Amino acid sequence: MKSEEEAKQIIQQVNGYEHITGAEALLRCLIAEGVDTIFGYPGGAIMPVYDKLLDFNDKLRHILTRHEQGAAHAAQAYAMVSGKPGICFATSGPGATNLITGIANAYLDSVPMVFITAQVVSGLIGTDAFQETDILGVSMPVTKWNCQVKKAQDISNTIAKAFYIATNGRPGPVLIDITKDAQIEKCSFKYKKCSYMRSYNPHIPLNKRALDSAAIMINHAEKPLILAGHGVLISGAEKELRKFVEKTGIPVAVTLLGLSSFPSGHRLYTGFLGMHGNYGPNLLTNEADLIIAIGMRFDDRVTGNITKYAKQARIIHIEIDEAEINKNVIVDLEIHNDAKEALEYLIPLVEQKSYESWVREFRICDKTEYEKVIKTETKPDKGDIRMGEVVRMVSEMTNGDAVIVTDVGQNQMTAARYFKFTEPKSFVTSGGMGTMGFGLPASVGAKIGRPDKQVVVFIGDGGFQMTIQELGTILHYKIPVKIVILNNGYLGMVRQWQEMFFKKRYASTELVNPDFVTIAKGFSIPGKKVSDRKELNSSLEKMLAAKGPYLLDIKIEKEGNVLPMIEPGASVSEITLNYKI
Amino acid sequence: MGKQEYTLSIFSENHIGILNQITIILTRRQINIESITASESAVKGVHLLTLVVKTTPDMVRKVSKQIEKLVDVLKVFVHTTDEIIYQEIALYKVTTNGLMSGNVIDHVVRTHHARIIEVSPEYIVLEKTGHKTEISELLNHLEPYGVLQFSRSGRVAITRQVRELNSYLKEMDEANRFNTDENEE
Ligand SMILES: Cc1ncc(C[n+]2csc(CCOP(=O)(O)OP(=O)(O)O)c2C)c(N)n1
Ligand SMILES: [Mg+2]
């Protein structure tokens, strides 16, 4: 992070240019905002910007992905691990529409991103010109804000606003559409960061009265439970959360995107919530007398059947987005505030306590879950390799010190369940959207955002083929990501549902797969196929030790299921550990 | 929970696409817009959209928060019909022959509080301000005489609440300053 002083200096350096093109103005804006990496893909309408990029390649690194969707996912992962906004360029028409899945994904997962799309020259807008799409209209439902710029002189103001909106309050993606003529037009340039908008006020004064009440409720609770979400990571409240937990002695459960906000090995950590989460925190949600939800939004994957969710508990909801409060679950105390600020205020007000017998209930659940699920998943003594043992092995080999990226499906749920996170922002996954194809490009962005970290991506054989072209990006920029294909020969998660709820009628879920190692070889990425358990350990070690990128194609038990599970329509306390046909 | 009529007064910046953003939120929740009016407001540069919707109290609370969350929206007020003073305006174009027979025209102007806007040999244009039912009543009344055109506006509304937008704006401003001060050069 650059200091305020440095930031001011940068702004002064880039300021005061006369007669520069809109394209140059745009790039100077980005530099002023501290951007150094852009993910994108060129095309006709955005050529003036790409041309100017050549003159700025000492300050701005452009990563050419192999598809705009890849650029969007990579930029999102970059943002998630680095804490800086992700920046993404695309041309008009198909370039812009190819971003949509990536934008929607970032929107649902509240990731700060600035998308720059080019637009046909302003005189042609509305005429169905070549490669004209109404990208403002198309992206409106999935952006926090969007805007079109048709004059070079408007670029700096709009970009300043874009950064302010994307990064403040509940973050999200913003899209700026710049016409080709505005990129070429000359303007005089002065940049001033946006720090105020009349209509958008992300700084909510601390709701002290509500927080005082919260402290009283917390101090009187007998079976309290903390639910920590992505908001904890976004507001940088990991330390405060830990302090709060250790002082109050209250057990913590996390959401999928809240993973890594609290160390998985901590004595008060109880696991991850939701459909394939851990047994204890799901079951005991319906036993707690007080739920303290921090920076999470009671997604249906977390709550299961909402009419049977935590009816016995009083609920305190700390959340920066007011529209999320009382949206899915009616709460007893709303605290519309930033998680970090709220926790800082609460810590001195709460009593030092411990809840031995309550915490023991979680440990008993852990034991049950271990016996019924975890043991056979992580330490199977026969049969084919299981996803859980692979993830657990990587977790142990890296001591939890790695950035874990996943695709979507069984691979994702298994990674979330069995990796032991030690550091904040070390888990990158597609939560709200569940976008298959997210994993591979996201691993590229994660590695660029955290070059100091081992980056391992777990991908299914299905999802890998959705954005497989990004192997080209890995080759091009020699990105040393470690790719683990958990290859079960199926669209595994859908197959699991077919097995459980559709009488085992496997409609279009079995895959005929190519030889992934040979494909990787074509991209100069070394790799290995593993199907024998005896080779698993050494293969993973070799992969982790590799200097460059590496791919392991691991043959996994074909019809393995992710358990436990809250079946659709079931409540959190009806979570099943064993599944019978 | 039963459905009820609500008037949403949405104060916003004049950002292109704001209406679209608002309707997306209502469409997703399957809420029909009964009427809509866009205008300036008493605060300079602030736009006012007045929407009438029929929905449940729970849903109107959720969508109004989602609308207020939009970056360019300043403030949303939700009111039930008894909390506001409101009017709609309607224009009726009726055949002159029809209206001039007997003393229809006098009757209309007097009992329905309508106004004559324009008279020509072929048609007469009437104007009426009032609530939806009153406007419909006049339409029904005129129908036998040959209504050539009819057009009704959306609702314009003034709230009975004491606190005005300005004071909210000031409050929001102050909360925001906390950040601005540090960054001002
Ligand atoms: C883009 C997209 N299409 C479809 C789905 C539905 N879906 C969810 S999981 C899944 C199966 C994934 O299969 P695979 O990538 O092999 O992973 P596995 O579950 O076998 O680990 C599918 C098809 C999705 N989430 N995203
Ligand atoms: Mg699979």
Side-chain angles (χ1 to χ4, degrees), chain A residues 387 410-411 460-462 486-493 511:
Chain A
M387 290 190 186
Q410 294 184 320
N411 59 87
D461 43 330
L486 298 171
N487 188 345
N488 51 13
Y490 275 110
L491 300 174
M493 187 55 92
L511 292 168

Side-chain angles (χ1 to χ4, degrees), chain A residues 201-277:
Chain A
N201 176 12
H203 309 288
I204 304 125
L206 208 55
N207 195 342
K208 293 184 182 161
R209 254 174 71 191
L211 285 161
D212 291 338
S213 314
I216 295 169
M217 286 164 78
I218 291 164
N219 290 338
H220 283 83
E222 280 164 18
K223 290 178 163 190
L225 175 62
I226 294 167
L227 312 183
H230 196 194
V232 172
L233 291 166
I234 293 170
S235 84
E238 307 88 1
K239 283 204 189 83
E240 289 72 15
L241 175 64
R242 193 164 170 170
K243 254 196 200 157
F244 178 75
V245 169
E246 287 175 353
K247 185 166 182 197
T248 56
I250 301 176
V252 188
V254 301
T255 65
L256 180 66
L257 287 181
L259 278 164
S260 88
S261 67
F262 194 80
S264 314
H266 196 280
R267 69 193 157 84
L268 290 170
Y269 180 74
T270 66
F272 121 82
L273 292 161
M275 185 170 266
H276 291 292

Side-chain angles (χ1 to χ4, degrees), chain A residues 373-511:
Chain A
V373 176
I374 299 173
K375 197 167 147 196
T376 47
E377 188 60 41
T378 58
K379 294 195 170 62
D381 40 21
K382 55 179 190 301
D384 288 326
I385 298 175
R386 307 202 49 116
M387 290 190 186
E389 63 182 308
V390 179
V391 172
R392 190 46 70 77
M393 239 178 234
V394 172
S395 180
E396 281 162 9
M397 283 175 182
T398 57
N399 280 323
D401 182 18
V403 171
I404 299 303
V405 182
T406 79
D407 206 75
V408 166
Q410 294 184 320
N411 59 87
Q412 174 188 35
M413 289 300 117
T414 308
R417 287 180 51 78
Y418 296 110
F419 195 85
K420 295 210 159 145
F421 298 94
T422 57
E423 245 198 68
K425 298 197 167 113
S426 61
F427 187 55
V428 178
T429 198
S430 166
M433 269 268 282
T435 308
M436 277 174 76
F438 176 78
L440 190 64
S443 73
V444 170
K447 185 67 196 178
I448 292 171
R450 286 304 299 271
D452 55 317
K453 287 276 172 191
Q454 181 78 265
V455 173
V456 181
V457 53
F458 294 105
I459 315 188
D461 43 330
F464 184 57
Q465 294 178 72
M466 279 207 175
T467 47
I468 196 166
Q469 76 284 348
E470 299 309 332
L471 290 173
T473 313
I474 294 170
L475 161 70
H476 187 153
Y477 298 98
K478 303 188 176 61
I479 297 177
V481 289
K482 308 301 162 66
I483 305 160
V484 181
I485 301 176
L486 298 171
N487 188 345
N488 51 13
Y490 275 110
L491 300 174
M493 187 55 92
V494 179
R495 187 211 54 75
Q496 175 172 347
W497 281 55
Q498 288 170 335
E499 181 180 347
M500 296 173 84
F501 313 118
F502 289 87
K503 303 195 178 112
K504 216 170 179 174
R505 285 154 58 89
Y506 291 167
S508 297
T509 44
E510 189 160 14
L511 292 168

